Amino acid sequence: LAGILLDQLLIAICEYQENGLKPFIKKWKKLDATYGKKVTLITPQKKLKGIGCGINEKGYFLLKDNKGKTESFPSGEISLKF
């Protein structure tokens, strides 16, 4: 089992090194608990509310505000109410 996991990890690492995050974004959306949900993003500078829209090719979190504008954030804390 460990060998299979390591093989898959090495494949994913090679894919990432060659193509970045782009090939992983579609799968990320399927597994992302914040995608399409109301969230609060907390950064050291501000606290924002909006809809989670996944990540971009740099891995930044995408947040759509109530005016429909999407911004990207390299870091922050996400609060999600179930």
Side-chain angles (χ1 to χ4, degrees):
L1 180 61
I4 294 169
L5 289 173
L6 285 174
D7 285 344
Q8 293 300 308
L9 179 59
L10 288 173
I11 291 168
I13 289 171
C14 289
E15 178 78 15
Y16 176 77
Q17 286 177 327
E18 290 179 21
N19 303 304
L21 280 176
K22 190 173 184 174
F24 300 95
I25 291 176
K26 186 175 180 181
K27 187 170 184 178
W28 181 277
K29 285 181 183 179
K30 291 180 187 177
L31 301 172
D32 184 357
T34 67
Y35 191 81
K37 303 283 193 310
K38 291 181 181 179
V39 299
T40 301
L41 172 68
I42 304 163
T43 71
Q45 295 80 23
K46 54 189 167 181
K47 189 175 185 178
L48 302 160
K49 293 184 184 280
I51 304 294
C53 295
I55 59 172
N56 66 15
E57 291 179 13
K58 291 182 177 180
Y60 291 9
F61 183 74
L62 300 174
L63 182 72
K64 184 185 292 184
D65 66 19
N66 60 359
K67 296 177 183 173
K69 180 181 176 190
T70 301
E71 287 188 69
S72 59
F73 297 88
S75 63
E77 179 182 333
I78 300 294
S79 175
L80 175 67
K81 294 185 179 180
F82 288 98

